[in-house]
Each structure stands twice: as structure tokens, then as C-alpha cells.
Amino acid sequence: MAARIASVQPLARRRVLRLGSLPVYISLALICTVCLVPVIWTVSSSLKLREELYAIPPTLLPRHPTLDNYTWMLTREDMSRLPLNLWNSAKVTIGAVIIQCVAATLAGYAFARLEFRGRDLLFYLLIVLMFIPRAGGLMALYELMDSLGLRNSHLGLALLFPSAISVALFVMRQNFLGVPRELEEAAIVDGANTPQVFWHVDL
């Protein structure tokens, strides 16, 4: 009898926990629905005919699904350039991600742990850049790439995208500030220098 009561109590606790988490699950389900509707709409629209695509009122699911749009897209004359376009996009994307990750990580560590004159002022100036639209500095970036001889090049594009480094820098700085200093001090006591502390402890 006692064993049966003991086995029932955990089940009751699980049910209480599940009921208590119900608002969270409902909220997550609503957020997922809002995020998935554009994806579903895009895929559904690609399977519609032109008449149904512009019909009023619109329909979420196609009445007569068809692959004609995909056939037309894949049989165009300029589709022969698709592999080259994908390769160029991959090169620029990978280069921009690597540059931004390396630059934001090193700068975030410097602003979080190193002491130098004007550190806080420089950090806040970089944060202010988050509120300046990219279009505001477009001409300056164009002139900079032109003067460096990087206009109309993949390297120039890979350097342009990480120019909005403020958000990544802020995130990395906050992450490094969350690392306990006691871990770094223990590494220093063991003989580690600053690059070793950065690589083996913080990063």
C-alpha cells in the first residue's frame, strides 16, 4: 500500500508541473505558429497558379497544386549560372561570418577584461552605431572600398557585411563578463599569460 502511494505521488507532481507549464506551452505554440505562417504561405504560393495567387480573398492552401512554377524556374536560360551564383554567395557568407566572429570575439574580450584609456567611451561609441541605419554610411563604405581597391570583389563584400559589428561585439562582451574572474586568476596562478587565459578559459 505504501509503495502504491509513493508511486502515485510523483505522478501527481508531474501533472501539477505540466498544468503549471501550460501557459508557457501555449505561448510557445502561438509564437511558433506566427513564425511558421510565412513559411507555409511561401511554399503554398509556389504551388499555386497565377490566377489563384492573386485571387481575392486569398487562400492559405492551393486548391489545385501544381509544379509549373518550379518547372519554369529550373528551365530558364539563365539557370546555368545558378551553381556559380551559389558558390559566390557561399564564399562571401563564410568569409563574412569568419571575419565577424573573430573580430567580435577579440574586441569583446578586450572591452570586457583589458584595461586601457578610453575603453568605456570607445565601447559606448560603438554601441551608438547600432542605432545608425546602414544606409547612412553606405557612401562612406563605398568610398572606403574604392580607395582600398576592393570594389566589385568578393573580399570587399565579405568585409562590408561585418561592418555592423556592434551587436556581435556587445553580445561577446556580455558573455565574457559572465565568466567568473576566479577562473582566470586560477589560470594566471598556474602560469598562463593573457592569450592563454583568453583561449583556454574564456573562449
Side-chain angles (χ1 to χ4, degrees), residues 1-10:
M1 185 67 181
R4 184 177 298 178
I5 295 175
S7 63
V8 170
Q9 286 179 348

Side-chain angles (χ1 to χ4, degrees), residues 15 39 68 87 130 134 137 155 162:
R15 290 177 182 172
V39 179
D68 290 346
W87 172 239
M130 294 170 56
R134 292 292 299 275
L155 179 59

Side-chain angles (χ1 to χ4, degrees), residues 87-109:
W87 172 239
N88 290 338
S89 298
K91 286 193 294 185
V92 172
T93 302
I94 294 172
V97 169
I98 292 175
I99 292 171
Q100 176 137 338
C101 286
V102 172
T105 302
L106 294 175
Y109 180 78

Side-chain angles (χ1 to χ4, degrees), residues 66 70 93 131 142 178 190:
T66 178
Y70 292 95
T93 302
F131 304 98
Y142 179 85
D190 289 338

Side-chain angles (χ1 to χ4, degrees), residues 10 15 39-40 66 95 129 152 177 191-193:
R15 290 177 182 172
V39 179
I40 296 173
T66 178
L129 294 178
N152 197 25
L177 288 176
N193 54 28

Side-chain angles (χ1 to χ4, degrees), residues 32-195:
C32 290
T33 302
V34 171
C35 293
L36 287 176
V37 164
V39 179
I40 296 173
W41 181 265
T42 302
V43 175
S44 173
S45 299
S46 69
L47 300 174
K48 295 179 181 179
L49 295 172
R50 182 184 296 272
E51 294 78 12
E52 187 179 359
L53 186 62
Y54 294 103
I56 297 176
T59 57
L60 179 61
L61 299 178
R63 297 172 183 170
H64 306 286
T66 178
L67 296 176
D68 290 346
N69 296 322
Y70 292 95
T71 303
W72 173 81
M73 182 183 68
L74 294 175
T75 55
R76 292 172 54 185
E77 294 181 0
D78 56 350
M79 284 302 294
S80 60
R81 293 180 54 85
L82 181 62
L84 178 62
N85 294 338
L86 291 176
W87 172 239
N88 290 338
S89 298
K91 286 193 294 185
V92 172
T93 302
I94 294 172
V97 169
I98 292 175
I99 292 171
Q100 176 137 338
C101 286
V102 172
T105 302
L106 294 175
Y109 180 78
F111 283 115
R113 289 293 189 249
L114 303 183
E115 298 288 342
F116 56 90
R117 182 178 299 177
R119 182 190 67 175
D120 294 336
L121 177 60
L122 182 58
F123 174 73
Y124 292 131
L125 288 176
L126 288 172
I127 294 302
V128 169
L129 294 178
M130 294 170 56
F131 304 98
I132 299 177
R134 292 292 299 275
L138 197 58
M139 286 305 300
L141 291 173
Y142 179 85
E143 293 292 338
L144 179 62
M145 291 296 114
D146 189 38
S147 63
L148 294 175
L150 296 175
R151 185 167 59 87
N152 197 25
S153 68
H154 294 153
L155 179 59
L157 279 176
L159 289 172
L160 275 178
F161 285 112
S163 61
I165 197 175
S166 304
V167 177
L169 178 107
F170 177 78
V171 171
M172 293 306 300
R173 176 181 178 269
Q174 297 305 116
N175 284 333
F176 287 128
L177 288 176
V179 177
R181 285 189 177 270
E182 290 78 8
L183 295 177
E184 300 177 353
E185 293 170 355
I188 293 173
V189 170
D190 289 338
N193 54 28
T194 300

